[in-house]
Amino acid sequence: LRYLRDIRVIPIDRGQIVDIVIEVQDTWTIIPQFSFSSGDGRTRKSAGFSEGNLFGYGNRAEILYQEDTGADTVQAAFDSRRLWNSQYQGQLALETGSTGDQVFYDVGDPFRSLAQQQAWSQSSLFSDTIERLYDAAEERFVFRKETNKLGGSYAFALGDPSEEVRRFSMGLSYLSEKFDSANASDLEDVNVDPADLPENGGKLAEDRKFVGPQIGYQYIEQDFVRRNYVDRFSRIQDFNLGSKFQSSVQFAPDFLGSNEDTLLLNTSFGEGYRLANKSFLRWEFEADTRLITQGFENSILSAEAQYIYPIGMLEWGRWFLGNHTFVARTLLDYSEDLDDDVEFLVGGDNMIRGYDARTFTGDKRFALNMEDRIHLVDNIYEFFSLGLAVFADVAGSTRDPLGTLYTNHLYSDVGVGLRIGFPRSNGERVVRIDFAAPLRDGPDGSGALELRILFAGGQLYGARLGTERRAANRVGVDLGF
């Protein structure tokens, strides 16, 4: 429960009776939100509020007004882990503004633990939005995209949850994506001057429609470790080092309304390892593709690894040097015949802090991030925690052959940062202020060793792997913490 923190279960032996004492600290659940983010080539301002325990039932409601580089949106979200005081969960998200409109909802009884034996869900997404493709942090192509997505699934689990479980799922999925050229009004809405768009900057993607049954299999080996001072100061996080495997297949035939007979395939697998001094390494590999009569299309291969080393408290004589955690992440995305509306972006907002957001683009990308997260003081005045970071980033993206990604298209930066945590806030997020110096001139105009200051909410990269990030997604607005 996000509105509780610092939970302790204390057994008290009284002979034939054992008393259990549970100590918790509640968090602030009503939080006004005012945020400002800049330094990565984008200027984002927002104001709103979040209530994390609506009516005392653990429901979360959020609303936000945001300006992002001239485009404004209003977002609202509702998330209930116990819908109408039942075992079911429900989510609803709405967004409207100059970039378009979106509505999403999800209801069901998802897997909450390895011990749960059955799960089901039903979700829908309806959107009509203005989308953009980039080059050197500037728009190169603008288009409209209309999405209608509906799906439902049922899953059951077998096995001993203390060791390993196997989950089997089946369901139906409908996805329709239609594309259209942006008109003058659309360009004005997203603050793009038509004269600034290059000729042949992009190609309008073909409409896509996939309708049909889907089956899936998932294997999870249970081997969890618990660590704090990783992403959010003292907040404890769980990491599974056991083997995992997941695969799904959807058959979308022509006679059900799909554009043509299509197989949609996805598989992923990974594992973790305990290393010396409480450190550990985790990795995963994922493949996603579509098979049609002419062959494979939109094939994406992704590999990611993370190394986490809780160094602990360091001292120099009588000087306290902080509680250190070293977090490293590397990833590689590679694609063949990528859809025309998809690109792999790299920039100051996701992988490399020394350059503008969305500076590098392509159908292949690589990143290596290393950061020493130094936690200095916890819970100052019962209000905030203070820390530092020392980091180095290496990343790049290209449409050239894979080998040239490493020889010609990698950029890097080094820097230091300030971390401010709010342990009493719902979610205990972190605000970061980074000072980054690029080590190479960039296509966005960044010069080598020109200092860049970034202010943003959350870590640049967290401790979850790619499939875990998607599985853990809950609706929410773009709040600062």
Side-chain angles (χ1 to χ4, degrees):
L1 298 175
R2 292 165 59 92
Y3 55 88
L4 298 178
R5 67 181 295 270
D6 199 15
I7 302 171
R8 295 185 177 92
V9 180
I10 305 172
I12 301 176
D13 189 353
R14 303 189 186 277
Q16 295 182 344
I17 299 174
V18 176
D19 290 338
I20 302 296
V21 177
I22 300 176
E23 296 181 354
V24 300
Q25 183 180 40
D26 62 344
T27 62
W28 300 325
T29 61
I30 301 178
I31 305 174
Q33 301 289 339
F34 303 95
S35 67
F36 176 80
S37 176
S38 68
D40 59 3
R42 306 165 65 185
T43 299
R44 306 173 71 188
K45 298 177 287 185
S46 65
F49 78 90
S50 171
E51 165 54 66
N53 190 21
L54 189 64
F55 305 130
Y57 290 102
N59 299 326
R60 178 169 54 89
E62 301 176 350
I63 188 167
L64 184 80
Y65 170 79
Q66 177 176 276
E67 290 184 9
D68 185 353
T69 319
D72 63 293
T73 59
V74 176
Q75 306 170 19
F78 175 79
D79 180 8
S80 175
R81 303 299 176 97
R82 294 287 180 181
L83 192 61
W84 295 307
N85 206 27
S86 70
Q87 70 184 54
Y88 307 121
Q89 295 187 12
Q91 303 180 80
L92 175 65
L94 309 169
E95 179 178 315
T96 185
S98 56
T99 57
D101 305 306
Q102 298 190 75
V103 178
F104 169 82
Y105 80 85
D106 174 76
V107 64
D109 184 16
F111 286 113
R112 296 178 176 85
S113 71
L114 295 181
Q116 187 170 333
Q117 295 183 334
Q118 298 183 77
W120 64 271
S121 68
Q122 197 281 316
S123 63
S124 298
L125 169 67
F126 307 100
S127 68
D128 185 3
T129 56
I130 303 170
E131 304 291 336
R132 290 167 279 185
L133 302 177
Y134 294 88
D135 183 36
E138 299 291 340
E139 288 89 349
R140 62 179 174 88
F141 189 65
V142 182
F143 59 95
R144 292 202 70 100
K145 179 179 179 181
E146 180 183 341
T147 302
N148 293 292
K149 183 178 181 180
L150 301 93
S153 65
Y154 167 80
F156 64 92
L158 302 175
D160 182 353
S162 65
E163 296 182 0
E164 59 185 27
V165 296
R166 292 173 171 82
R167 293 171 176 170
F168 303 85
S169 64
M170 62 199 75
L172 291 171
S173 178
Y174 172 95
L175 173 62
S176 172
E177 295 174 310
K178 297 181 179 180
F179 302 88
D180 201 358
S181 301
N183 56 36
S185 176
D186 296 331
L187 296 176
E188 183 179 358
D189 285 341
V190 294
N191 199 32
V192 173
D193 187 341
D196 293 335
L197 292 174
E199 263 190 80
N200 304 316
K203 177 184 175 184
L204 196 65
E206 296 182 359
D207 293 348
R208 301 189 289 264
K209 190 175 182 181
F210 310 110
V211 187
Q214 184 174 15
I215 59 172
Y217 169 77
Q218 185 179 28
Y219 169 82
I220 305 174
E221 180 185 29
Q222 195 265 106
D223 184 13
F224 283 91
V225 297
R226 309 186 76 200
R227 299 286 187 270
N228 56 1
Y229 296 103
V230 178
D231 285 342
R232 301 187 181 183
F233 284 81
S234 60
R235 193 179 188 92
I236 294 176
Q237 296 174 261
D238 294 322
F239 303 93
N240 189 14
L241 305 184
S243 300
K244 62 179 184 179
F245 174 83
Q246 179 272 333
S247 185
S248 66
V249 179
Q250 181 187 358
F251 176 50
D254 171 82
F255 69 83
L256 287 181
S258 303
N259 293 125
E260 58 181 311
D261 291 341
T262 308
L263 275 179
L264 293 91
L265 310 170
N266 176 274
T267 189
S268 66
F269 53 90
E271 197 171 7
Y273 311 97
R274 285 180 172 83
L275 303 175
N277 300 318
K278 295 186 178 180
S279 65
F280 59 91
L281 172 72
R282 300 194 306 152
W283 64 271
E284 73 173 14
F285 176 83
E286 182 178 16
D288 189 89
T289 188
R290 297 195 302 263
L291 177 61
I292 58 176
T293 305
Q294 293 81 12
F296 290 97
E297 63 179 10
N298 198 50
S299 300
I300 301 174
L301 304 178
S302 300
E304 184 174 0
Q306 290 184 342
Y307 172 70
I308 297 175
Y309 176 23
I311 300 170
M313 296 184 181
L314 297 181
E315 295 179 346
W316 184 37
R318 295 182 178 181
W319 292 92
F320 173 65
L321 301 181
N323 193 333
H324 292 243
T325 301
F326 179 74
V327 181
R329 182 272 301 266
T330 185
L331 64 84
L332 172 67
D333 293 322
Y334 176 86
S335 70
E336 289 285 349
D337 196 16
L338 196 64
D339 288 338
D340 291 317
D341 61 309
V342 180
E343 61 182 349
F344 296 154
L345 292 170
V346 169
D349 59 339
N350 66 348
M351 294 182 186
I352 185 164
R353 282 164 273 210
Y355 301 87
D356 284 346
R358 305 170 295 219
T359 291
F360 311 103
T361 182
D363 58 5
K364 310 165 191 68
R365 70 178 169 188
F366 170 82
L368 171 63
N369 306 99
M370 296 175 288
E371 188 168 278
D372 182 10
R373 298 174 180 175
I374 308 167
H375 307 88
L376 296 176
V377 186
D378 282 334
N379 224 11
I380 302 172
Y381 299 117
E382 295 289 324
F383 179 56
F384 67 96
S385 300
L386 191 63
L388 301 172
V390 179
F391 60 83
D393 307 312
V394 180
S397 183
T398 185
R399 296 187 181 277
D400 294 337
L402 180 61
T404 65
L405 174 61
Y406 298 97
T407 58
N408 300 332
H409 298 286
L410 284 186
Y411 292 76
S412 58
D413 66 50
V414 294
V416 297
L418 177 67
R419 300 292 181 266
I420 305 172
F422 296 87
R424 295 296 300 275
S425 68
N426 188 2
E428 201 173 335
R429 288 195 63 185
V430 173
V431 171
R432 61 182 172 92
I433 303 173
D434 285 331
F435 302 84
L439 301 182
R440 178 183 175 186
D441 293 346
D444 61 339
S446 298
L449 301 181
E450 288 184 358
L451 189 66
R452 178 183 297 270
I453 303 175
L454 301 94
F455 179 88
Q459 305 284 4
L460 180 73
Y461 59 98
R464 287 192 175 115
L465 296 170
T467 57
E468 295 169 338
R469 291 192 293 269
R470 290 193 295 275
N473 275 348
R474 306 291 296 179
V475 299
V477 299
D478 239 340
L479 297 177
F481 52 85

